[in-house]
Amino acid sequence: MTAPDRYAVFGQPINHSKSPRIHALFAAQTGQNLSYTAQEVGPAEFDQTVTDFFAAGGKGLNCTVPLKELAFRLADRLTPRAQRAKAVNTLWRDAEHGLSGDNTDGLGLIADLTVNHGLALGGQRLLLLGAGGASRGVIAPLLEHQPAQLLIANRTVDKAAAIAAEFADLGAIAACGYPDLTGRQFDLIINATSASLGQKLPPLPSGLLAAGGACYDMAYAKLATPFVTWGQAQAARLSLDGIGMLVEQAAAAFEIWRGVRPDSRAVIALLNQERGGAAS
Ligand code: ATR
């Protein structure tokens, strides 16, 4: 049997990454001969480690926090959505184009919201919490669905205002601080802050979620994140964490690399079963 094609995810920290398991499940499903490992790589050694990986015959990389902006700068060629996000989570090389970069995060979020959970985005009032790299990757794909409004709330209001200005050509987008949210209502609230990672919650007023509305935390954890718990306390119709988005962005990367679409929903179901039931 020939040696497996090599893939990896680089990030810092990386030890709890679920990507090796997800890609191993995809490979088994589709009969692809590949290996996928997680490697701790910091910003200082990123460029050299990527160069060495491909020089040694590596086929493709995922990049996660805090490397997505560096991957964007390193790529010779970018897909339009990576260009727009100014962040790259998927790299591969070919003789014709050199190092190519794409961003499958937005696609992953949209697939999980609309296909897996049947949530409509068109005409809806959307609130996106946070104005960092995680938000940047999902704004254009959300606006493509023509929500009635996409409001970006951030602790540092200037950062939200700068992002809203950058994407204003794509649709109805605005920015504010958390205190400005009082008295407003949204059909879908998406948490793209890094607060969940520290078991924290952005300062959200109660009454923010419209009746029948949904909450989505782009972070995920074995137990419910503080934002998922908050959504449940607001009587959200659905209060989800980002495990589905993680699997869907991985499925899109797998398809770019291998030309085969894996069954993402089977993998989401398995991961949820392993952690003892899905956050809902
Ligand atoms: P990422 O690439 O994960 O988005 P980032 O660029 O460091 O990481 O951005 C983190 C985001 O989470 C920011 O929007 C940050 O708010 P500020 O810009 O005001 O710093 C937000 N954030 C982090 N911890 C938070 C908390 N406890 N409450 C509210 N927002 C928080």
Side-chain angles (χ1 to χ4, degrees):
M1 197 170 141
T2 51
D5 289 341
R6 286 199 304 116
Y7 296 84
V9 56
F10 289 175
Q12 192 173 53
I14 202 68
N15 48 337
H16 294 301
S17 173
K18 290 198 183 298
S19 293
R21 173 131 169 78
I22 292 168
H23 282 277
L25 289 165
F26 288 165
Q29 269 181 359
T30 57
Q32 298 283 306
N33 183 26
L34 60 85
S35 72
Y36 186 110
T37 56
Q39 192 174 328
E40 172 110 11
V41 176
E45 66 264 22
F46 178 70
D47 288 15
Q48 191 60 50
T49 315
V50 171
T51 305
D52 293 348
F53 176 84
F54 285 107
K59 295 290 184 198
L61 284 175
N62 284 136
C63 302
T64 186
V65 177
L67 306 172
K68 292 180 189 179
E69 281 85 4
L70 293 177
F72 165 77
R73 287 198 203 103
L74 194 62
D76 302 313
R77 185 182 67 137
L78 296 160
T79 61
R81 60 186 179 221
Q83 186 84 58
R84 188 82 218 203
K86 295 199 173 83
V88 157
N89 74 338
T90 304
L91 288 168
W92 69 99
R93 255 199 101 82
D94 64 54
E96 194 187 338
H97 302 107
L99 190 64
S100 295
D102 198 355
N103 189 320
T104 64
D105 287 334
L107 230 151
L109 174 67
I110 302 293
D112 200 37
L113 288 172
T114 64
V115 181
N116 298 342
H117 295 288
L119 290 166
L121 300 173
Q124 300 293 292
R125 296 162 293 175
L126 309 189
L127 174 62
L128 183 64
L129 309 174
S135 289
R136 295 195 62 86
V138 302
I139 290 173
L142 286 170
L143 287 173
E144 256 174 46
H145 286 256
Q146 301 187 313
Q149 186 194 21
L150 176 59
L151 183 62
I152 320 277
N154 200 43
R155 237 172 14 186
T156 316
V157 184
D158 288 357
K159 276 170 69 181
I163 290 201
E166 190 183 328
F167 289 90
D169 59 315
L170 297 182
I173 184 167
C176 72
Y178 289 106
D180 308 318
L181 292 173
T182 305
R184 306 195 59 168
Q185 281 208 317
F186 298 88
D187 305 299
L188 173 63
I189 306 177
I190 300 169
N191 182 24
T193 73
S194 50
S196 293
L197 306 177
Q199 289 300 311
K200 297 212 169 72
L201 185 67
L204 302 173
S206 58
L208 194 57
L209 189 67
C215 289
Y216 194 99
D217 196 342
M218 284 169 53
Y220 65 89
K222 192 161 184 357
L223 301 174
T225 66
F227 182 72
V228 167
T229 304
W230 180 84
Q232 288 163 343
Q234 306 302 305
R237 179 160 62 93
L238 286 170
S239 190
L240 303 159
D241 78 4
I243 194 78
M245 175 180 174
L246 179 77
V247 174
E248 294 294 349
Q249 65 76 32
F254 190 92
E255 190 174 4
I256 290 168
W257 293 329
R258 309 300 296 184
V260 189
R261 179 88 201 162
D263 180 356
S264 47
R265 292 180 79 163
V267 171
I268 294 169
L270 182 68
L271 295 179
N272 276 328
Q273 190 189 333
E274 283 175 1
R275 64 178 177 170
S280 62

